[in-house]
Amino acid sequence: MCAGARLVLSTQACTTEGGLVTQVGEGHETAADEAGPVLTFGAPTAGEILAERYQLEQHVNNDSAGRQVWRGIDVILRRPVAVVLRHPGGDSATEMLQAAVAASRVIHPNLVGVYDAIDEQERAYVVREWVDGESLRDLIAAEGPLDPARAIAIAHAVADALTAVHATGMVHGNVHPGTTLIADDGRVVLADARADSADSVESDIRAVGGLLYFALTAHWPHDEVGRSALSDANRDSAGNPAAPRQVRAGVPAYLDDLTMDLLDRRVAPPAADALTAELGRLDAASEDEEFEDVGPLRFVQGTSSSAEPIKTTPKILLGVGALVVIAIIGLIFGIRAINDTSKTETGANPPVTAGTGQEGTGTGDAAAPAPDPKKIALTADQVRIVDPPPGDRDDSDEAKFVVDGDSETSWSLAWYKSPKFGNLKDGMGVLINLGSPRALAEIQVATSAPGVAMDVRYGANDPGDTSNGDEKLLKEYKKLGDGDAEKSTGTNWAFSGFEPDQKYQYVLVFLTELPTNEDGPGYKVNVNEIQLYGY
């Protein structure tokens, strides 16, 4: 029986069904954590049920602030949960509980879902999603530094999560290798928001630079290393960390520059959405193995108002030189344009329309060819199954198979008694979150049989991976093209009706009609692969 106060109960904050392995490691400690001892009196025991709902199964570890982390079971919804307990509760647990309440309002695939926050005075606890996987800290301890492509992908996911957090006016305050979880399905999840008055949007962004540095070098460059027990960075006499390229061979120059700029307090950090866009661009380049062609960083970095000026660097000189070259080229073309205009006004060389031989206003220059669309690399954490009510959502774990590049694996739909999903619902689909808006050209879907009716829809956000969220999604999303679902004539279906002057982040491939299946008593299909092309 819970005698305390429940601050929030949110079962729809879940972003995915978790599993069972390591959970939370160390993050940095807030002022409220410093007096928090490990639980002694009133310590929980395996089998105990908290708040008449959460059964404690196994004590996993204690974090750096003395909180106990337990694996538990929500006995009502029958799903695994993580329970983070603090003793005592009351005023000393206020910061932890308030951070949990705030975090429960942000739903994002790269954020751990927070379900409940309860204060019993003697002790307080937060109940949240359990993630099957390991922390970045433990991954590096086991495998050593990561390759640049994987480091970029992890930082990209964390920056995307921070974009969602900062959009609500919140600060996470605990971006750390111990709170960055790598799920077994490849999903990267940020856990345990714990901001206090010393934290800021800037400190969150600096911490992403720290994650990049740690992933590339296995060393942590920030001040709290003494508490977190991570290996400290190699530092010069002024205490500045050595650049990743000085620590380890093979780090691309552009990634080295980005990491050190994010750590340099003399350089104003970008906003989270700008950092997400840049890391997304680098992530795509790494998928195509085009490290040398990524070009300069896309966000503009100025000088922080509270910092000393930055000394002139070769990068700045190169930028100034590029501006000079552009100015000279502009001057040359400007002089030519003036000369051409003078000739036209005096009757010499009248303009000719290209290809006609007649006088007109054409320039005679052929139009520049449109760039070829490129395949967009998609990962398991960017796709999920949309199954509106009364769907049982049993297919959720199969979304990863449609983007794994293996035609032998698939999302296998259930059997239905009629082609219209048994007349139970409008259909089912796969939602793709590109991470940031992109111009798109075509989407291709490979299925196990022809005769599948599909359409493509888009929206502004993902209302959440729940039945209610999917129902809301179908009401809010708009259909592309003429709006009618088209049946595939073969096992490969394609759609190219994206608007050329519009960018998309959330795209839904929606199946509305199933084919007859000769191998069974009704209608079903497998979706083997989805490929998206854009610019």
Side-chain angles (χ1 to χ4, degrees):
M1 179 72 74
C2 175
R6 172 170 290 163
L7 300 185
V8 60
L9 174 58
S10 174
T11 59
Q12 60 185 352
C14 182
T15 57
T16 187
E17 294 184 4
L20 313 172
V21 189
T22 60
Q23 272 304 297
V24 171
E26 305 160 12
H28 84 264
E29 296 142 7
T30 67
D33 293 329
E34 293 179 356
V38 176
L39 283 159
T40 52
F41 175 74
T45 58
E48 181 180 356
I49 297 179
L50 305 179
E52 300 181 330
R53 178 166 188 171
Y54 307 110
Q55 181 171 324
L56 300 179
E57 297 282 300
Q58 180 183 8
H59 177 216
V60 178
N61 65 351
N62 295 338
D63 71 10
S64 61
R67 287 177 288 250
Q68 283 194 4
V69 182
W70 283 74
R71 167 188 163 236
I73 296 290
D74 183 334
V75 298
I76 296 178
L77 295 181
R78 305 305 305 169
R79 66 180 174 189
V81 295
V83 182
V84 183
L85 297 107
R86 179 186 173 87
H87 173 78
D91 292 341
S92 66
T94 298
E95 182 274 331
M96 180 185 81
L97 297 172
Q98 288 179 342
V101 172
S104 71
R105 299 176 184 141
V106 186
I107 300 174
H108 190 277
N110 299 118
L111 287 171
V112 163
V114 178
Y115 307 144
D116 224 339
I118 300 171
D119 183 13
E120 295 180 351
Q121 299 302 309
E122 181 180 284
R123 61 188 179 186
Y125 44 93
V126 172
V127 183
R128 58 168 177 74
E129 176 187 2
W130 182 278
V131 179
D132 184 6
E134 60 185 338
S135 69
L136 178 62
R137 178 201 60 198
D138 295 338
L139 176 65
I140 297 296
E143 299 183 8
L146 304 182
D147 64 81
R150 194 172 186 192
I152 291 170
I154 291 172
H156 180 206
V158 172
D160 199 17
L162 291 177
T163 297
V165 172
H166 294 175
T168 67
M170 289 172 49
V171 172
H172 187 277
N174 199 23
V175 180
H176 187 275
T179 59
T180 302
L181 307 181
I182 317 298
D184 287 345
D185 63 2
R187 174 177 167 231
V188 178
V189 190
L190 186 58
D192 200 16
R194 239 192 289 170
D196 64 11
S197 58
D199 295 304
S200 64
V201 168
E202 177 175 338
S203 65
D204 278 352
I205 300 299
R206 301 287 185 203
V208 176
L211 289 182
L212 271 173
Y213 192 96
F214 181 74
L216 293 169
T217 68
H219 296 280
W220 184 240
H222 289 306
D223 295 338
E224 65 270 20
V225 65
R227 294 177 178 175
S228 67
L230 297 176
S231 297
D232 193 9
N234 296 326
R235 301 179 184 273
D236 60 21
S237 58
N240 299 314
R245 283 164 66 89
Q246 295 175 309
V247 178
R248 173 191 173 197
V251 177
Y254 71 87
L255 186 57
D256 187 83
D257 288 344
L258 172 60
T259 302
M260 296 308 291
D261 280 350
L262 290 174
L263 296 176
D264 191 344
R265 295 191 179 279
R266 299 172 302 170
V267 179
D273 56 351
L275 179 58
T276 299
E278 175 61 15
L279 288 169
R281 187 175 74 92
L282 303 185
D283 199 359
S286 67
E287 289 289 340
D288 295 334
E289 298 183 351
E290 296 177 350
F291 286 107
E292 302 304 322
D293 300 325
V294 293
L297 304 183
R298 296 293 177 85
F299 50 78
V300 177
Q301 295 181 332
T303 303
S304 175
S305 59
S306 60
E308 60 188 69
I310 306 174
K311 296 180 180 179
T312 301
T313 67
K315 287 189 291 183
I316 297 176
L317 293 176
L318 182 60
V320 172
L323 291 175
V324 172
V325 171
I326 293 171
I328 294 172
I329 294 173
L331 180 61
I332 293 172
F333 278 98
I335 293 172
R336 288 182 178 177
I338 293 172
N339 291 337
D340 290 344
T341 303
S342 300
K343 292 178 181 179
T344 301
E345 290 175 351
T346 59
N349 299 328
V352 177
T353 301
T356 65
Q358 299 177 3
E359 294 183 5
T361 58
T363 63
D365 294 328
D372 293 330
K374 292 186 177 181
K375 180 181 176 182
I376 298 173
L378 298 174
T379 57
D381 63 314
Q382 292 179 278
V383 294
R384 72 171 183 85
I385 303 299
V386 172
D387 187 8
D392 55 19
R393 311 183 66 74
D394 287 344
D395 300 349
S396 297
D397 290 340
E398 297 184 11
K400 59 189 176 186
F401 295 135
V402 304
V403 293
D404 63 358
D406 184 355
S407 60
E408 299 299 320
T409 60
S410 65
W411 166 34
S412 179
L413 280 74
W415 288 99
Y416 290 89
K417 294 182 179 179
S418 74
K420 300 284 189 179
F421 288 82
N423 296 320
L424 299 172
K425 52 191 173 185
D426 293 335
M428 296 178 68
V430 175
L431 178 64
I432 303 170
N433 178 4
L434 293 171
S436 59
R438 295 191 63 166
L440 301 179
E442 185 178 47
I443 193 163
Q444 298 178 3
V445 183
T447 59
S448 60
V452 188
M454 291 178 269
D455 61 50
V456 178
R457 311 178 186 192
Y458 72 98
N461 55 50
D462 179 1
D465 189 5
T466 63
S467 293
N468 290 337
D470 287 351
E471 187 174 31
K472 183 179 180 182
L473 181 147
L474 292 182
K475 290 179 181 179
E476 295 178 351
Y477 274 39
K478 298 178 181 179
K479 295 181 181 180
L480 284 163
D482 57 15
D484 295 330
E486 297 183 7
K487 278 191 177 182
S488 59
T489 56
T491 56
N492 292 309
W493 182 91
F495 174 84
S496 57
F498 293 100
E499 297 292 336
D501 57 347
Q502 185 170 344
K503 293 186 177 181
Y504 307 84
Q505 178 172 346
Y506 297 92
V507 177
L508 171 65
V509 178
F510 198 64
L511 285 62
T512 60
E513 187 173 338
L514 302 173
T516 303
N517 194 303
E518 298 177 356
D519 297 329
Y523 300 83
K524 84 176 301 272
V525 76
N526 296 341
V527 179
N528 299 326
E529 203 69 23
I530 295 179
Q531 296 181 347
L532 193 57
Y533 293 81
Y535 306 100

